Amino acid sequence: MATIYEVSALAGVSLATVSRVMNGNANVRESTKQKVLEAMATLDYRPSSVAQSLASNCTNSVGLLVSELHGPFYGTMMASIESELRRAGKHCIITAGHSEEKSEKAGIEFLLSRNCDALILHVEKLSDEYLLALKEKDISFVLINRQIDAIAEQCVTLDNHLGGYQMGQAILEAGHQKIAYLAGPSWKDDAKERFAGFKQALEEKGVELDPALIFEGNFQEASGYKGARELLLSGHEFTALCCANDEMAAGAMNAIRDNGLDIPNDVSVVGFDNVSFTQYLFPRLTTIDYPVGDMGQMAARLILKNTYKTTTSTIQTLFKPHLVKRQSLQPQE
Amino acid sequence: MATIYEVSALAGVSLATVSRVMNGNANVRESTKQKVLEAMATLDYRPSSVAQSLASNCTNSVGLLVSELHGPFYGTMMASIESELRRAGKHCIITAGHSEEKSEKAGIEFLLSRNCDALILHVEKLSDEYLLALKEKDISFVLINRQIDAIAEQCVTLDNHLGGYQMGQAILEAGHQKIAYLAGPSWKDDAKERFAGFKQALEEKGVELDPALIFEGNFQEASGYKGARELLLSGHEFTALCCANDEMAAGAMNAIRDNGLDIPNDVSVVGFDNVSFTQYLFPRLTTIDYPVGDMGQMAARLILKNTYKTTTSTIQTLFKPHLVKRQSLQPQE
DNA sequence: AACATAAATGAAAGCGCTTACATTTCATTA
DNA sequence: TAATGAAATGTAAGCGCTTTCATTTATGTT
């Protein structure tokens, strides 16, 4: 591998000049620039990003922590972040937090040990204090799907309350009255807010939500199956089942059918997130769209703007969900 | 940020000694080791991975190129690779090739520009020549889901022919005779082999595959929908539809139902890959399992063994698929 | 006690760049 | 034409580590 020394020797200029043309520095005469470029080409020179990083104190890498690398939600998120960063010449180091506090901490430590210039974090179990402490240490980061008021400007979030409200509205407009709700874990803010928004929509229309028709799941398919099954077997009737996310909705749909009922004729189902597989479900799932791609892109732009100062694009931190009407929700006569 | 200098000063030893304890080098007296450790702790010292990389000529990073960061197949692949590498203290830089030659080349260039120690490549459009040229340049890499005989030892592949064969066998055992096949793009080796294996299974049992019942898709859901629809409208009857991957199967299922037919009573459907959403489909999809997690792990181990020499685990490069029986395939009376 | 040997430590060069500062070159202007 | 300032280039000091080689210290042997 050729180094900058060889290039400088071949071009007959100093190291500094080679460095200048590499970095597009203005003050280089066109003719010498050409000499250097030529030398680089004949030597098939590639700068050592490591040496550049050491000298410039910038690695051009941003660490990305997500709960899992698989799963449609994280997939879309990673894809949008990576492509936005890559376009700016940055790379990302991705690792998983597995929805556990220790593991999330270890993930951040790991990324930090890699000298990332900034982090994009989707954490679930880490405390606000820990995150605020990161801020104190002058670590540049943005939080995705997590709201901490003290650092609101670096939190990219969805209006989950609105999403829940939209879900409630949709179900009421379809004429349902006997409604069941498959909630997410109550220790998660997003799950709480979705539920709160949902309840508000019902209250505004004076519709009661029977406590016996509420089941708290964990956002996974299996808990959706279990929840729907228990709700069905409990004997309390319902014509619509609202799920706090699509995975649980998928599980619930299987449970409903395994119990001999038809979707949506016997029971309508609504999900939340609008992950890719919702279109593969039968019937295609009516759900609330979570614009995770846009949000990932925005998280990346925040970094680009704050850490790298390479963009001046306008920043938006709060995103709005919207209803996606498909076939799993049917009007009730 | 404290540097090694400060640690060495505080501990009253030389740089070299600090470096030795950092790297677990044997020849350090226990007492001095403790002094150093203590100094590190009080200074909250973290070594600069960049400086380490420059000095040691090893970045501890492996580049990972996949077609897309989203999608259940790549998700599982990335997850297994990342976790195996992370366990060994390596990080991965992930980027997308988008199934286009130019983009795949650019992705590799990008990873190389980041000075990765090695690459794990899932490429679709890149030529064998290009890949062999990489080898010539002494770039250490492993190919996943791609067989090039000249470098077989660095190719982690699935026996797609066997998978196709298993699919054929399964459908025949269920008593189907009128069989349709939704193929993958014929320029892809894996698609070709799946089809070849499939045909072989039928031939061995003397079952004809009507050319009118073959549709070539592109492995995407939409083409599955389109293919199934055309097959259905063509008027040629079939009782089973075999799909070269699960995405197309999902699309096909929707098409079949949109045409008023029942799955599996009117037509059975079989997929290939066993990606996560196959369990969410209705009926749950019978499919051929592609052990992509194991294969990703093995790809990572290959790197660990060949590039980093940190493992001696035994290597396997050819993996076998197997049938996963679920509800979308029904015996034909 | 003197020596040989092994273990522990230190000195210093080098990894391949960037960049502050110094110097040279060139174009203007009085 | 000399003085002046701006533009172009060079010099050299880092950036924070690893590692070779030399040196010192400890251990064991006769």
Side-chain angles (χ1 to χ4, degrees):
Chain A
M1 205 68 251
T3 72
I4 195 174
Y5 292 96
E6 284 134 63
V7 175
S8 100
L10 182 57
V13 300
S14 72
L15 289 192
T17 300
V18 177
S19 176
R20 286 186 186 105
V21 348
M22 265 200 278
N23 297 293
N25 191 306
N27 294 334
V28 179
R29 198 185 305 153
E30 185 58 30
S31 59
T32 67
K33 184 174 168 184
Q34 289 310 323
K35 274 193 304 187
V36 172
L37 256 18
E38 214 168 282
M40 287 178 168
T42 78
L43 290 173
D44 193 24
Y45 170 74
R46 303 164 170 281
S48 155
S49 64
V50 175
Q52 287 178 319
S53 296
L54 183 61
S56 67
N57 194 32
C58 166
T59 58
N60 287 307
S61 77
V62 355
L64 174 52
L65 182 77
V66 295
S67 295
E68 302 296 341
L69 270 68
H70 57 256
F73 184 81
Y74 299 115
T76 308
M77 190 170 121
M78 293 187 293
S80 63
I81 292 175
E82 194 275 334
S83 92
E84 186 73 16
L85 290 177
R86 164 92 183 274
R87 224 146 49 89
K90 315 299 174 192
H91 68 262
C92 42
I93 300 180
I94 306 181
T95 197
H98 302 300
S99 307
E100 283 178 22
E101 186 174 5
K102 270 183 66 174
S103 192
E104 289 180 345
K105 262 187 199 163
I108 292 178
E109 285 299 313
F110 179 71
L111 294 174
L112 256 19
S113 81
R114 257 48 191 180
N115 292 92
C116 294
D117 297 327
L119 306 179
I120 297 180
L121 271 17
H122 181 288
V123 293
E124 307 188 42
K125 290 283 180 67
L126 240 33
S127 67
D128 286 6
E129 290 69 44
Y130 183 88
L131 268 359
L132 288 168
L134 275 190
K135 168 87 174 180
E136 288 311 304
K137 288 188 206 155
D138 275 315
I139 290 161
S140 136
F141 64 98
V142 354
L143 258 24
I144 198 161
N145 195 39
R146 169 81 169 251
Q147 181 69 33
I148 299 183
D149 291 332
I151 50 173
E153 69 288 351
Q154 57 194 77
C155 299
V156 175
T157 54
L158 181 76
D159 189 339
N160 280 293
H161 190 278
L162 175 60
Y165 187 85
Q166 289 169 338
M167 182 186 267
Q169 258 187 330
I171 214 91
L172 291 172
E173 269 173 21
H176 292 272
Q177 297 279 330
K178 289 180 277 185
I179 301 169
Y181 190 81
L182 253 176
S186 56
W187 56 268
K188 284 195 185 178
D189 286 340
D190 52 357
K192 272 195 298 198
E193 300 213 336
R194 286 174 190 189
F195 193 26
F198 181 76
K199 282 191 291 196
Q200 186 185 323
L202 298 210
E203 273 163 26
E204 286 183 5
K205 297 290 179 184
V207 175
E208 286 283 331
L209 186 56
D210 182 351
L213 286 178
I214 299 171
F215 181 93
E216 182 177 326
N218 64 2
F219 275 154
Q220 318 242 312
E221 193 247 358
S223 82
Y225 188 93
K226 179 159 175 279
R229 190 162 178 280
E230 293 194 7
L231 255 15
L232 253 14
L233 297 181
S234 77
H236 293 76
E237 283 195 2
F238 56 92
T239 61
L241 175 59
C242 294
C243 308
N245 80 344
D246 293 335
E247 260 84 0
M248 291 200 299
M253 287 171 85
N254 275 332
I256 290 168
R257 271 187 299 247
D258 285 353
N259 272 267
L261 297 176
D262 181 78
I263 304 168
N265 289 315
D266 296 323
V267 18
S268 285
V269 176
V270 181
F272 199 118
D273 280 349
N274 192 28
V275 298
S276 54
F277 69 71
T278 54
Q279 311 198 47
Y280 304 164
L281 298 179
F282 176 72
R284 294 179 181 84
L285 186 67
T286 292
T287 188
I288 304 294
D289 182 68
Y290 188 130
V292 63
D294 295 341
M295 290 170 63
Q297 187 181 49
M298 187 54 68
R301 285 198 183 153
L302 261 168
I303 300 286
L304 255 19
K305 183 168 191 173
N306 296 338
T307 305
Y308 295 113
K309 328 276 186 201
T310 64
T311 180
T312 56
S313 57
T314 62
I315 295 302
Q316 169 191 6
T317 56
L318 182 63
F319 285 73
K320 291 203 183 313
H322 69 267
L323 176 69
V324 178
K325 291 187 188 179
R326 288 199 278 251
Q327 288 87 49
S328 68
L329 169 57
Q330 197 171 64
Q332 185 73 357
E333 71 286 341
Chain B
M1 204 68 250
T3 71
I4 195 174
Y5 292 97
E6 284 134 63
V7 175
S8 100
L10 182 58
V13 299
S14 71
L15 290 192
T17 300
V18 177
S19 175
R20 285 186 186 104
V21 348
M22 264 199 277
N23 298 293
N25 191 305
N27 294 334
V28 179
R29 200 186 303 153
E30 186 58 30
S31 59
T32 69
K33 183 174 167 182
Q34 289 309 324
K35 275 192 304 185
V36 172
L37 256 17
E38 215 167 281
M40 286 179 169
T42 79
L43 290 173
D44 192 25
Y45 170 75
R46 301 163 172 283
S48 155
S49 64
V50 175
Q52 287 178 318
S53 296
L54 184 60
S56 66
N57 194 31
C58 167
T59 58
N60 287 307
S61 77
V62 354
L64 175 52
L65 182 77
V66 295
S67 294
E68 302 296 340
L69 271 67
H70 56 256
F73 184 82
Y74 298 115
T76 308
M77 191 170 120
M78 292 186 294
S80 63
I81 291 174
E82 195 275 333
S83 91
E84 185 74 17
L85 289 177
R86 164 91 184 274
R87 222 147 48 89
K90 314 301 174 192
H91 68 262
C92 42
I93 301 179
I94 307 182
T95 198
H98 302 299
S99 307
E100 284 178 23
E101 185 174 6
K102 269 184 67 175
S103 193
E104 290 180 345
K105 261 187 198 162
I108 292 178
E109 284 300 312
F110 180 72
L111 294 174
L112 254 21
S113 81
R114 259 46 193 180
N115 293 92
C116 295
D117 296 327
L119 306 179
I120 297 180
L121 272 15
H122 182 288
V123 293
E124 307 188 43
K125 290 283 181 66
L126 239 33
S127 66
D128 287 6
E129 290 68 44
Y130 184 88
L131 268 0
L132 288 168
L134 276 189
K135 168 87 173 180
E136 288 310 305
K137 288 188 205 153
D138 275 317
I139 290 162
S140 136
F141 65 96
V142 354
L143 259 23
I144 197 160
N145 195 40
R146 169 82 169 251
Q147 181 69 33
I148 299 183
D149 292 332
I151 50 173
E153 68 289 351
Q154 56 193 77
C155 299
V156 175
T157 54
L158 180 77
D159 189 340
N160 280 294
H161 190 278
L162 175 60
Y165 187 84
Q166 290 168 339
M167 182 186 268
Q169 258 187 331
I171 215 90
L172 291 173
E173 270 173 20
H176 290 273
Q177 298 278 330
K178 288 180 278 183
I179 301 169
Y181 190 82
L182 253 174
S186 55
W187 56 268
K188 284 194 185 178
D189 285 340
D190 52 356
K192 272 194 299 197
E193 300 214 335
R194 287 174 190 189
F195 193 26
F198 180 77
K199 282 191 290 195
Q200 185 185 326
L202 299 208
E203 274 163 23
E204 285 182 6
K205 298 290 179 185
V207 175
E208 286 284 330
L209 186 56
D210 182 351
L213 286 177
I214 300 171
F215 181 92
E216 182 176 324
N218 64 2
F219 275 155
Q220 318 241 313
E221 192 247 357
S223 82
Y225 188 93
K226 179 160 176 279
R229 189 161 179 280
E230 293 195 6
L231 255 16
L232 252 15
L233 297 181
S234 76
H236 294 74
E237 284 196 359
F238 56 92
T239 61
L241 176 58
C242 294
C243 307
N245 81 344
D246 292 335
E247 261 83 0
M248 291 200 298
M253 287 170 84
N254 275 332
I256 290 168
R257 270 186 300 247
D258 285 353
N259 272 267
L261 298 176
D262 181 78
I263 303 169
N265 289 317
D266 296 324
V267 17
S268 286
V269 177
V270 182
F272 200 117
D273 280 349
N274 192 27
V275 299
S276 54
F277 69 70
T278 53
Q279 311 198 47
Y280 304 163
L281 298 178
F282 175 73
R284 294 179 182 83
L285 186 68
T286 293
T287 188
I288 304 295
D289 183 68
Y290 188 129
V292 63
D294 296 341
M295 288 170 64
Q297 188 181 50
M298 186 54 68
R301 286 198 182 152
L302 261 168
I303 300 286
L304 257 18
K305 182 168 192 173
N306 296 338
T307 305
Y308 295 113
K309 328 276 184 199
T310 64
T311 179
T312 55
S313 56
T314 61
I315 295 302
Q316 170 191 6
T317 56
L318 182 62
F319 286 73
K320 291 203 185 310
H322 69 268
L323 177 70
V324 178
K325 292 187 188 178
R326 288 199 278 250
Q327 287 86 51
S328 68
L329 170 56
Q330 196 173 62
Q332 184 74 357
E333 72 284 342

